[in-house]
Amino acid sequence: MAGEMILSGLLDPVDPVGVADLILDHLVRIGFIVDYDELGRPVLRSPEGKESLRALHREARRLALLPRLGWIRWAWMRFSAFFARGEWIVPERIRPVLVEITERWHADLARLARLLWSSTPYSKGFGRRLGFLLLDEGNRGPLGNPLLIGILLLQSPPITLSPRDRFFQYPPGQKVDKINTTADVHSLMAVPPYNDLLGGKLVAYAAASNEVREAYRRKYAGRRTEIEGRVLPADLVALTAVSAFGRSSLYNRLRYRDGPIAISLGYAAGYGVFHLEPFYPFFRALLESRGISTRGGFGAGPRIKWQICVRALEALGLSRTLINHSVPREVFLFPLAHNLKDFMEGRAEEPLYRDLPFRDLAAYWHERWLLPRAERVDRWRSWEPEGLLDQVFPTDADGAFPSGQG
């Protein structure tokens, strides 16, 4: 595979003959349809169907996990008791608690859950970050620990997000300031078997809670940015979330009392570099061999990976149009203020926050979503957490990881 060739150093950045064809072959192999526009440039079309869209991400996921297999083994030995067996769960006793990630073990548990379950574990997030664990205090593991329901990770919002930017008419010259009163959902997920009990909807409710807003304010009030030394607002008036695989069922029909928890804003254009992830180390080496810096970190901007991929594609004679992967991404807005549109568009000076205590949201989820689901579906009862490891350490020849990695 292309990933192994790159990891093994078999692609020569000084003499990259044939790499352009290898890239196109790779894109076809993982499921893309490659067409050509009137100028003869390759254009990608994504396949239809959610499972086909998931398949597009498998190679990037596999390569993201390869260097982390040793850590996953270590973390599983330490944290496996937090991952529930279906037989341990009594739905009526589920009592969710929202725990801000402030300690190392919190972060390690969240990282393990994301690596084991997320289809897109390779994105690390950027800018301001805030994270939470959702734990079940009502059902406990063999060591007496609460069980993990899911995780919520927030990051700085993208400056450009077409559906959001069409929804708001920002005051002239204030777009960036207004956007910086929002955050973006980097990861929102429930782990099995809670996902089968609609635990993902609980995590979405948690995202809109007073507790998340208050934690964000505590963490970032008065803090200066690393790049410009500015003090950005610490008041959080909205969240955005972007689906990974087209239309999202997670946020649909998600309401609470006075209105929606999440509103669909339509679909993003489908730009990104996940499908080029196997070539990223080679792209960096190619540019560095030509004296072009690939330095990331503070000052380079959150889209440094995009910039590297675009420059490398053009250096190989390929079009930058290849970063348009054409995978549809549904964009959702979580309004945390009653007057959000007026505030974002400059007609209101202060946000009028919705009062959404997590305790009340969790109780509503319990009655509206959890209990009816538990009556209709029972496959969660037979879940065994080792199934998560099977996805990372597959036994079939087609997906097996090298046993010596990590």
Side-chain angles (χ1 to χ4, degrees):
M1 292 183 177
E4 275 69 28
M5 293 180 67
I6 294 164
L7 291 173
S8 301
L10 297 180
L11 298 183
D12 184 358
V14 178
D15 185 23
V17 176
V19 175
D21 289 338
L22 183 63
I23 291 172
L24 295 177
D25 290 344
H26 162 76
L27 294 173
V28 171
R29 184 179 61 79
I30 65 175
F32 282 103
I33 301 165
V34 179
D35 293 328
Y36 292 85
D37 63 17
E38 64 277 4
L39 299 177
R41 299 174 302 185
V43 177
L44 299 182
R45 284 195 293 118
S46 61
E48 296 182 358
K50 187 157 288 191
E51 189 52 41
S52 295
L53 295 178
R54 287 181 184 275
L56 297 179
H57 292 73
R58 285 179 186 149
E59 179 74 352
R61 170 180 165 78
R62 199 175 66 85
L63 290 178
L65 294 179
L66 273 173
R68 298 171 174 85
L69 295 183
W71 185 88
I72 290 171
R73 290 189 184 98
W74 169 84
W76 181 257
M77 288 189 291
R78 183 177 181 191
F79 295 112
S80 60
F82 284 88
F83 293 85
R85 294 185 180 279
E87 63 190 29
W88 296 348
I89 298 176
V90 178
E92 292 78 8
R93 286 169 42 188
I94 292 177
R95 184 161 61 88
V97 293
L98 186 63
V99 178
E100 184 181 355
I101 295 175
T102 57
E103 300 182 26
R104 178 61 182 268
W105 76 266
H106 296 158
D108 285 344
L109 178 55
R111 181 188 180 201
L112 178 62
R114 194 159 187 270
L115 289 173
L116 290 176
W117 187 238
S118 174
S119 297
T120 57
Y122 37 84
S123 172
K124 297 179 180 179
F126 58 85
R128 291 182 168 189
R129 302 182 199 182
L130 186 68
F132 297 87
L133 303 172
L134 271 88
L135 300 176
D136 180 2
E137 291 277 8
N139 294 289
R140 292 177 174 267
L143 303 181
N145 56 281
L147 300 173
L148 180 65
I149 298 173
I151 63 173
L152 170 66
L153 306 177
L154 304 180
Q155 64 180 0
S156 288
I159 297 302
T160 300
L161 184 60
S162 296
R164 178 202 62 198
D165 297 339
R166 289 193 297 267
F167 185 76
F168 294 119
Q169 299 296 318
Y170 308 108
Q174 295 184 41
K175 175 183 176 180
V176 173
D177 289 339
K178 290 296 185 182
I179 289 172
N180 279 326
T181 62
T182 74
D184 189 59
V185 173
H186 173 231
S187 194
L188 189 159
M189 53 175 275
V191 297
Y194 290 96
N195 65 321
D196 239 357
L197 292 168
L198 302 181
K201 291 187 182 293
L202 172 65
V203 185
Y205 278 113
S209 68
N210 297 346
E211 285 80 356
V212 168
R213 284 195 297 104
E214 292 160 1
Y216 188 86
R217 183 183 294 113
R218 283 196 306 271
K219 184 171 183 177
Y220 287 109
R223 286 183 57 172
R224 295 184 179 275
T225 63
E226 296 284 348
I227 299 174
E228 298 178 353
R230 298 173 59 203
V231 177
L232 298 179
D235 295 317
L236 201 57
V237 302
L239 305 177
T240 51
V242 182
S243 71
F245 309 115
R247 185 175 184 274
S248 171
S249 60
L250 176 59
Y251 307 121
N252 290 330
R253 299 185 293 128
L254 209 59
R255 300 182 61 83
Y256 178 73
R257 291 183 181 171
D258 61 345
I261 292 295
I263 301 168
S264 177
L265 300 181
Y267 291 82
Y271 285 85
V273 296
F274 76 87
H275 53 306
L276 299 170
E277 200 76 26
F279 294 92
Y280 185 65
F282 169 77
F283 286 167
R284 293 191 64 179
L286 173 67
L287 296 181
E288 293 287 352
S289 73
R290 300 185 181 192
I292 301 173
S293 174
T294 61
R295 182 184 65 87
F298 292 122
R303 294 197 173 189
I304 182 65
K305 184 172 282 191
W306 281 37
Q307 296 164 16
I308 289 171
C309 289
V310 165
R311 290 177 179 177
L313 288 171
E314 292 177 340
L316 293 167
L318 292 170
S319 171
R320 64 171 58 200
T321 57
L322 285 180
I323 69 166
N324 182 358
H325 50 63
S326 74
V327 176
R329 313 284 205 199
E330 192 170 10
V331 178
F332 287 85
L333 179 74
F334 288 61
L336 307 184
H338 293 288
N339 61 342
L340 175 63
K341 203 159 173 54
D342 286 341
F343 176 77
M344 294 294 284
E345 296 181 354
R347 294 185 296 276
E349 292 187 7
E350 298 292 334
L352 301 175
Y353 285 110
R354 302 171 71 184
D355 185 21
L356 300 172
F358 174 71
R359 181 177 178 178
D360 293 352
L361 292 169
Y364 178 80
W365 166 82
H366 197 277
E367 296 301 317
R368 168 65 179 84
W369 296 102
L370 168 64
L371 295 182
R373 176 73 168 189
E375 290 182 2
R376 295 193 309 269
V377 175
D378 64 0
R379 59 178 176 263
W380 56 271
R381 298 179 188 276
S382 61
W383 170 258
E384 297 182 355
E386 289 77 13
L388 292 170
L389 288 183
D390 292 341
Q391 297 180 66
V392 177
F393 301 97
T395 56
D396 61 287
D398 291 335
F401 290 112
S403 60
Q405 291 289 340

mmCIF file of all heavy atoms in Angstrom, residues 238-262:
data_model
loop_
_atom_site.group_PDB
_atom_site.id
_atom_site.type_symbol
_atom_site.label_atom_id
_atom_site.label_comp_id
_atom_site.label_asym_id
_atom_site.label_seq_id
_atom_site.Cartn_x
_atom_site.Cartn_y
_atom_site.Cartn_z
ATOM 1 N N ALA A 238 -22.383 30.023 20.831
ATOM 2 C CA ALA A 238 -22.850 28.982 19.911
ATOM 3 C C ALA A 238 -21.733 27.990 19.660
ATOM 4 O O ALA A 238 -20.549 28.285 19.851
ATOM 5 C CB ALA A 238 -23.310 29.597 18.584
ATOM 6 N N LEU A 239 -22.131 26.799 19.216
ATOM 7 C CA LEU A 239 -21.198 25.787 18.745
ATOM 8 C C LEU A 239 -21.564 25.432 17.311
ATOM 9 O O LEU A 239 -22.719 25.552 16.896
ATOM 10 C CB LEU A 239 -21.292 24.512 19.593
ATOM 11 C CG LEU A 239 -21.111 24.628 21.102
ATOM 12 C CD1 LEU A 239 -21.329 23.256 21.744
ATOM 13 C CD2 LEU A 239 -19.752 25.182 21.448
ATOM 14 N N THR A 240 -20.566 24.992 16.566
ATOM 15 C CA THR A 240 -20.831 24.389 15.265
ATOM 16 C C THR A 240 -20.336 22.950 15.295
ATOM 17 O O THR A 240 -19.407 22.608 16.028
ATOM 18 C CB THR A 240 -20.130 25.147 14.116
ATOM 19 O OG1 THR A 240 -18.733 25.316 14.434
ATOM 20 C CG2 THR A 240 -20.763 26.502 13.891
ATOM 21 N N ALA A 241 -20.977 22.118 14.511
ATOM 22 C CA ALA A 241 -20.574 20.713 14.392
ATOM 23 C C ALA A 241 -20.722 20.306 12.937
ATOM 24 O O ALA A 241 -21.695 20.682 12.278
ATOM 25 C CB ALA A 241 -21.430 19.822 15.287
ATOM 26 N N VAL A 242 -19.756 19.541 12.444
ATOM 27 C CA VAL A 242 -19.759 19.112 11.046
ATOM 28 C C VAL A 242 -19.748 17.594 11.017
ATOM 29 O O VAL A 242 -18.888 16.954 11.628
ATOM 30 C CB VAL A 242 -18.539 19.670 10.285
ATOM 31 C CG1 VAL A 242 -18.582 19.245 8.820
ATOM 32 C CG2 VAL A 242 -18.502 21.196 10.394
ATOM 33 N N SER A 243 -20.693 17.007 10.305
ATOM 34 C CA SER A 243 -20.773 15.549 10.226
ATOM 35 C C SER A 243 -19.601 15.003 9.424
ATOM 36 O O SER A 243 -19.032 15.687 8.573
ATOM 37 C CB SER A 243 -22.082 15.120 9.573
ATOM 38 O OG SER A 243 -22.074 15.435 8.190
ATOM 39 N N ALA A 244 -19.246 13.757 9.684
ATOM 40 C CA ALA A 244 -18.146 13.134 8.956
ATOM 41 C C ALA A 244 -18.608 12.472 7.668
ATOM 42 O O ALA A 244 -17.862 12.408 6.691
ATOM 43 C CB ALA A 244 -17.445 12.100 9.844
ATOM 44 N N PHE A 245 -19.854 11.994 7.656
ATOM 45 C CA PHE A 245 -20.311 11.162 6.534
ATOM 46 C C PHE A 245 -21.664 11.611 6.021
ATOM 47 O O PHE A 245 -22.668 10.924 6.167
ATOM 48 C CB PHE A 245 -20.395 9.692 6.968
ATOM 49 C CG PHE A 245 -19.162 9.183 7.633
ATOM 50 C CD1 PHE A 245 -19.186 8.803 8.960
ATOM 51 C CD2 PHE A 245 -17.963 9.095 6.945
ATOM 52 C CE1 PHE A 245 -18.040 8.333 9.588
ATOM 53 C CE2 PHE A 245 -16.823 8.624 7.562
ATOM 54 C CZ PHE A 245 -16.851 8.253 8.882
ATOM 55 N N GLY A 246 -21.709 12.797 5.430
ATOM 56 C CA GLY A 246 -22.945 13.238 4.824
ATOM 57 C C GLY A 246 -23.986 13.636 5.854
ATOM 58 O O GLY A 246 -23.677 14.253 6.871
ATOM 59 N N ARG A 247 -25.236 13.276 5.595
ATOM 60 C CA ARG A 247 -26.333 13.672 6.466
ATOM 61 C C ARG A 247 -26.187 13.014 7.835
ATOM 62 O O ARG A 247 -25.912 11.831 7.941
ATOM 63 C CB ARG A 247 -27.672 13.277 5.840
ATOM 64 C CG ARG A 247 -28.888 13.765 6.613
ATOM 65 C CD ARG A 247 -30.173 13.436 5.870
ATOM 66 N NE ARG A 247 -31.333 13.973 6.559
ATOM 67 C CZ ARG A 247 -31.974 13.350 7.541
ATOM 68 N NH1 ARG A 247 -31.562 12.141 7.919
ATOM 69 N NH2 ARG A 247 -33.014 13.901 8.132
ATOM 70 N N SER A 248 -26.389 13.803 8.878
ATOM 71 C CA SER A 248 -26.232 13.288 10.238
ATOM 72 C C SER A 248 -27.587 12.983 10.850
ATOM 73 O O SER A 248 -28.503 13.812 10.820
ATOM 74 C CB SER A 248 -25.502 14.310 11.110
ATOM 75 O OG SER A 248 -25.526 13.911 12.467
ATOM 76 N N SER A 249 -27.719 11.798 11.436
ATOM 77 C CA SER A 249 -28.927 11.451 12.188
ATOM 78 C C SER A 249 -28.768 11.770 13.670
ATOM 79 O O SER A 249 -29.743 11.774 14.417
ATOM 80 C CB SER A 249 -29.246 9.966 12.020
ATOM 81 O OG SER A 249 -28.170 9.168 12.496
ATOM 82 N N LEU A 250 -27.539 12.056 14.089
ATOM 83 C CA LEU A 250 -27.270 12.282 15.515
ATOM 84 C C LEU A 250 -27.978 13.532 16.031
ATOM 85 O O LEU A 250 -28.556 13.534 17.117
ATOM 86 C CB LEU A 250 -25.756 12.399 15.733
ATOM 87 C CG LEU A 250 -25.286 12.742 17.144
ATOM 88 C CD1 LEU A 250 -25.757 11.692 18.137
ATOM 89 C CD2 LEU A 250 -23.758 12.848 17.171
ATOM 90 N N TYR A 251 -27.923 14.618 15.252
ATOM 91 C CA TYR A 251 -28.448 15.896 15.730
ATOM 92 C C TYR A 251 -29.876 16.164 15.284
ATOM 93 O O TYR A 251 -30.492 17.134 15.735
ATOM 94 C CB TYR A 251 -27.551 17.035 15.245
ATOM 95 C CG TYR A 251 -26.096 16.844 15.574
ATOM 96 C CD1 TYR A 251 -25.126 16.808 14.572
ATOM 97 C CD2 TYR A 251 -25.675 16.694 16.895
ATOM 98 C CE1 TYR A 251 -23.792 16.634 14.868
ATOM 99 C CE2 TYR A 251 -24.337 16.515 17.199
ATOM 100 C CZ TYR A 251 -23.400 16.485 16.178
ATOM 101 O OH TYR A 251 -22.079 16.309 16.476
ATOM 102 N N ASN A 252 -30.401 15.342 14.383
ATOM 103 C CA ASN A 252 -31.751 15.574 13.880
ATOM 104 C C ASN A 252 -32.783 15.378 14.991
ATOM 105 O O ASN A 252 -32.659 14.488 15.829
ATOM 106 C CB ASN A 252 -32.064 14.616 12.724
ATOM 107 C CG ASN A 252 -31.273 14.962 11.480
ATOM 108 O OD1 ASN A 252 -30.951 16.122 11.245
ATOM 109 N ND2 ASN A 252 -30.952 13.965 10.679
ATOM 110 N N ARG A 253 -33.792 16.202 14.989
ATOM 111 C CA ARG A 253 -34.907 16.145 15.952
ATOM 112 C C ARG A 253 -34.448 16.327 17.393
ATOM 113 O O ARG A 253 -35.120 15.910 18.336
ATOM 114 C CB ARG A 253 -35.683 14.830 15.815
ATOM 115 C CG ARG A 253 -36.306 14.641 14.455
ATOM 116 C CD ARG A 253 -37.160 13.382 14.402
ATOM 117 N NE ARG A 253 -36.345 12.170 14.530
ATOM 118 C CZ ARG A 253 -36.602 11.206 15.406
ATOM 119 N NH1 ARG A 253 -37.604 11.317 16.245
ATOM 120 N NH2 ARG A 253 -35.845 10.127 15.440
ATOM 121 N N LEU A 254 -33.293 16.955 17.568
ATOM 122 C CA LEU A 254 -32.758 17.143 18.912
ATOM 123 C C LEU A 254 -33.269 18.483 19.459
ATOM 124 O O LEU A 254 -32.794 19.556 19.064
ATOM 125 C CB LEU A 254 -31.226 17.120 18.853
ATOM 126 C CG LEU A 254 -30.488 16.628 20.090
ATOM 127 C CD1 LEU A 254 -30.912 15.205 20.434
ATOM 128 C CD2 LEU A 254 -28.988 16.681 19.866
ATOM 129 N N ARG A 255 -34.241 18.390 20.356
ATOM 130 C CA ARG A 255 -34.872 19.582 20.907
ATOM 131 C C ARG A 255 -34.944 19.483 22.428
ATOM 132 O O ARG A 255 -34.806 18.413 23.001
ATOM 133 C CB ARG A 255 -36.296 19.758 20.355
ATOM 134 C CG ARG A 255 -36.382 19.898 18.849
ATOM 135 C CD ARG A 255 -37.814 20.104 18.401
ATOM 136 N NE ARG A 255 -38.394 21.316 18.956
ATOM 137 C CZ ARG A 255 -38.235 22.533 18.436
ATOM 138 N NH1 ARG A 255 -37.529 22.678 17.319
ATOM 139 N NH2 ARG A 255 -38.784 23.587 18.992
ATOM 140 N N TYR A 256 -35.195 20.649 23.041
ATOM 141 C CA TYR A 256 -35.433 20.671 24.483
ATOM 142 C C TYR A 256 -36.307 21.881 24.820
ATOM 143 O O TYR A 256 -35.915 23.026 24.572
ATOM 144 C CB TYR A 256 -34.113 20.745 25.246
ATOM 145 C CG TYR A 256 -34.292 20.808 26.748
ATOM 146 C CD1 TYR A 256 -34.684 19.687 27.465
ATOM 147 C CD2 TYR A 256 -34.090 22.000 27.435
ATOM 148 C CE1 TYR A 256 -34.866 19.737 28.834
ATOM 149 C CE2 TYR A 256 -34.262 22.065 28.811
ATOM 150 C CZ TYR A 256 -34.647 20.932 29.506
ATOM 151 O OH TYR A 256 -34.844 20.986 30.866
ATOM 152 N N ARG A 257 -37.448 21.636 25.292
ATOM 153 C CA ARG A 257 -38.390 22.641 25.774
ATOM 154 C C ARG A 257 -38.581 23.817 24.815
ATOM 155 O O ARG A 257 -39.422 23.772 23.942
ATOM 156 C CB ARG A 257 -37.979 23.144 27.157
ATOM 157 C CG ARG A 257 -38.136 22.098 28.241
ATOM 158 C CD ARG A 257 -37.791 22.638 29.611
ATOM 159 N NE ARG A 257 -37.938 21.602 30.631
ATOM 160 C CZ ARG A 257 -37.552 21.736 31.894
ATOM 161 N NH1 ARG A 257 -36.989 22.862 32.298
ATOM 162 N NH2 ARG A 257 -37.730 20.735 32.751
ATOM 163 N N ASP A 258 -37.756 24.862 24.967
ATOM 164 C CA ASP A 258 -38.014 26.108 24.248
ATOM 165 C C ASP A 258 -37.442 26.148 22.839
ATOM 166 O O ASP A 258 -37.492 27.190 22.188
ATOM 167 C CB ASP A 258 -37.471 27.307 25.047
ATOM 168 C CG ASP A 258 -35.967 27.229 25.257
ATOM 169 O OD1 ASP A 258 -35.390 26.142 25.050
ATOM 170 O OD2 ASP A 258 -35.368 28.255 25.633
ATOM 171 N N GLY A 259 -36.883 25.058 22.358
ATOM 172 C CA GLY A 259 -36.363 25.131 21.001
ATOM 173 C C GLY A 259 -35.373 24.031 20.690
ATOM 174 O O GLY A 259 -35.132 23.125 21.496
ATOM 175 N N PRO A 260 -34.767 24.113 19.508
ATOM 176 C CA PRO A 260 -33.838 23.065 19.075
ATOM 177 C C PRO A 260 -32.506 23.144 19.808
ATOM 178 O O PRO A 260 -32.049 24.226 20.182
ATOM 179 C CB PRO A 260 -33.658 23.365 17.586
ATOM 180 C CG PRO A 260 -33.895 24.839 17.478
ATOM 181 C CD PRO A 260 -34.954 25.161 18.486
ATOM 182 N N ILE A 261 -31.899 21.989 20.002
ATOM 183 C CA ILE A 261 -30.528 21.943 20.498
ATOM 184 C C ILE A 261 -29.563 22.200 19.345
ATOM 185 O O ILE A 261 -28.548 22.875 19.500
ATOM 186 C CB ILE A 261 -30.236 20.580 21.154
ATOM 187 C CG1 ILE A 261 -31.043 20.442 22.444
ATOM 188 C CG2 ILE A 261 -28.741 20.402 21.427
ATOM 189 C CD1 ILE A 261 -30.664 21.423 23.538
ATOM 190 N N ALA A 262 -29.881 21.658 18.175
ATOM 191 C CA ALA A 262 -29.022 21.821 17.000
ATOM 192 C C ALA A 262 -29.893 22.121 15.783
ATOM 193 O O ALA A 262 -30.985 21.576 15.643
ATOM 194 C CB ALA A 262 -28.188 20.575 16.769
#
